[in-house]
Amino acid sequence: MGPSDMHPSACDAFFGCGYCSEAYPDEKQLSVHIKMQHEGQKYLSVPAPLPSRERRLLHQPSAAAISKDIPLSEVNRHCTPEDCWVALNGKVYDLSEFMDRHPGGPTTILSWAGKDASKLFNEIHKGVKKIDSYLRPEALLGNLGVDESLMSDEFWHTLREARIVEIREEIDRVLSQTSSTHKADSIQRLLQDKILDSGLKTKLQRLETQKRVALDSEEYDKAAGVKKEIEKLLAAQDVAHLHEVPLESKNLSGGIPLSEVARHNKPHDCWIAINRSVYDLTDFLMHHPEQRNSILAWAGRDASAMWDKIPGRFPSKQWMEFFMRPEAKMGEVGEEPEKDSVMEQLKQLHDELRRLEGPSKADIEAAKTSVKVPGKTDAPTLSEESRFPKLAEISAGKELPFFTRAEVAKHTSSEEPYMIIHNRVYNLKPLLGSHPGGDDILLSKAGTDCTKDFEVFEHSEKARVQRDRDLLVGQLVPAENTDWSADAQVSQVVGEEVSELMRYMKYKVTDVALLAVGWYVYKTLQNRKPLSQFTYSRALRHLHLIMAVGIFGAVGTAQAAANTEGQTRKQMLWWHKQSGLAMLVALILRVFFRLKSGIPPRFPGNPLVQMIETQSLRAFYLLALMLPMSGIANEYFLKWAPGSDRTGNAGDDKRNDRLAKQSIDAHKLLGKFLQYAWLPFHLGYTTLYHYSQGRGVVRKVSPFI
């Protein structure tokens, strides 16, 4: 079998340099080569065969070619709890099995999944030998980085993909020779199974998250309880046929094989073999935290090789005489059961396939949403509870399950949309159809942390209490919390700090506004002579101008709020509300002065047109009244209307939500009519048309005459 048969994807034409014999699998690489090695020459590519450095690899099995060195780009892909690779001091380790018994807790390791953690590791552990004494030999995957003189990073992945094809073909060949089928025999392998039911996978991942949080806080009893829940889930009749995960210890009367000991390798389930005897040290770990590190290094393993290496320390004769209780002994080490060679071959092939395939793209993207805060396990104070004490009453006594940001990121559908607010997780489904802002804005933010957006709209305590009562389903794992503490600056919650340029522009806008006000006062003082009783009074003229500026301000701030985020959006909404209230006050004053003012004669024109102009003015008064009133109604039903907290009737909350949504919907509809219908007509016809006819439309309403 020739190279082209073994690796069809690796033998396509390469991009050869038109000035030398070099060739590359990617155009960008060739472009860089020409710029660096042939300075001043234009890009010139010619078809080229596979370069000799890559061709040599094709004479080896692809597994051998890719097993020695691992590029960092491959490490980056393995960033999930069940497939956690970490680079340390030039070596790559699979820490998926080890993280649960890590003395610092599993979340610290998970925060570095898919990364090079050498710097932090060396600051804490002072050398790689420390971790080698804790890990099983198979945890070491290889060296970090590929030999650039032998192959490129891209070609390494080409070989990886070719090897995946080979393994699948080999699995099909082995399966064709046996009636047996391979099933996952551990939680880790089961979660890596690409065909596992998504519902079952979500339940398992959620329970694994609860277990990791318990281990982080050293609550081993709680971790053991979660382990029992997982076993109960896997023992269910509709799930049991999907796996071969051992759920209980086999008959130990004939001795305990080391393969059985290996299953009990966690702080909440710790067996260790010493001098041909097996001991359960789970209870000892709970009562002697000072010895956890030395014992957990050998959890699930045979520690006989360390016997009496350090007298008085685990494992030694003196230690056993002083600490070991008779009931801790489980039995003697027994013979390993016979293994089916075909099933062992399938197991090895599936393990290699999982390692090369890595997590799915969806799992990788979800994992990237996690907040990486190495070593941080304490949950900060929630500023929301300090500002709204009633929230503490809602969650008091509840044991909320923990979620990772990666788990929340997967809940984006309308069937189960999740959202993070102040480090808590909410299921938005009950809110769909009744949210005042509409469903689109909720679904567009599903699966994300929306604390900033939530604070922008200044939700009332009543709305927050109702949110926690109806929607709260969990909380973030402590290590992924964001500090929204009570003493945090508002700018940290609702937006980024303002740049120097924006601060300068803000000052300039303020200067322009002050200059405009000064000019207005100056022009007003210049024009104070009495006007005819047959024309608009000067007070009415001033209100007309002020309301015109206010209307454009209200429309402009609404548009600005719709196209900005964070602190800027909050400021625009505040100005929108203030300008709306100011227009309501101005409208009342305008009506008062309108009744006391003279009325100028109308411009000549068609009676139908004059009738339309009259109705346009009446529509203006109606809009100027209804817009602020609908906004006020929305605020009232959201924040101040009596709800279940006062009346005791849960139906009042639903009624308030419905009326608040109807109010804001009416507000938006009226606003669009004002912006896209009334203003174009009023300015386009009433003003521009009459002005084009030489009629003094501006003089008719100007206060400066």
Side-chain angles (χ1 to χ4, degrees), residues 163-177 345-346 349:
R163 177 58 181 163
I164 289 174
V165 174
E166 287 183 353
I167 294 174
R168 287 173 177 165
E169 292 175 351
E170 183 66 11
I171 289 175
D172 291 340
R173 185 190 64 80
V174 175
L175 288 174
S176 67
Q177 299 175 0
Q345 184 181 8
L346 281 173
L349 288 170

Side-chain angles (χ1 to χ4, degrees), residues 16-47:
C17 177
Y19 305 102
C20 65
S21 59
E22 286 293 324
Y24 297 87
D26 185 82
E27 286 184 288
K28 292 181 180 179
Q29 291 179 302
L30 176 58
S31 178
V32 172
H33 164 77
I34 293 175
K35 289 179 181 178
M36 298 295 293
Q37 301 297 327
H38 308 285
E39 191 174 354
Q41 299 293 339
K42 65 179 182 179
Y43 178 82
L44 180 60
S45 173
V46 296

